[in-house]
Every structure is written in structure tokens, then in C-alpha cells.
């Protein structure tokens, strides 16, 4: 999964055994990348 560090804005790849920390700056807040397309949700 691809994440982006909220401090240094670099892309971070996490493996299943790694901790949740940016390997470049050590910051612990990572933002999940979202798909660029907009989903259409039907309204009832």
C-alpha cells in the first residue's frame, strides 16, 4: 500500500512487518493515497 508522509510529503511503502513511521524523516503520521476517480453513489 502506498502512503504519503504528512511532514516531508514523500511516498512511503509499508510492508506487513514494518512499523508505521516514515523512513526518511521519522514522522509517525502517514496519509493513505486515494484513487483520483470520483465514485457515483446512488441516492434513494
Amino acid at each position: 500500500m502506498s502512503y504519503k508522509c504528512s511532514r516531508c510529503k514523500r511516498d512511503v511503502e509499508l510492508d506487513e512487518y514494518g512499523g508505521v513511521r516514515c523512513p526518511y524523516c521519522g514522522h509517525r503520521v502517514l496519509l493513505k493515497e486515494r484513487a483520483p476517480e470520483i465514485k457515483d453513489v446512488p441516492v434513494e
Side-chain angles (χ1 to χ4, degrees):
M1 257 209 176
S2 181
Y3 293 88
K4 186 170 287 232
C5 176
S6 65
R7 180 184 287 165
C8 69
K9 308 293 189 236
R10 294 177 81 173
D11 290 329
V12 176
E13 289 289 329
L14 298 181
D15 58 4
E16 59 190 69
Y17 300 109
V20 182
R21 188 176 292 267
C22 176
Y24 306 105
C25 70
H27 198 58
R28 295 185 65 178
V29 178
L30 301 177
L31 307 171
K32 186 175 181 181
E33 291 288 297
R34 295 186 179 254
E37 67 264 358
I38 298 172
K39 294 183 180 180
D40 219 11
V41 179
V43 179
E44 292 184 18

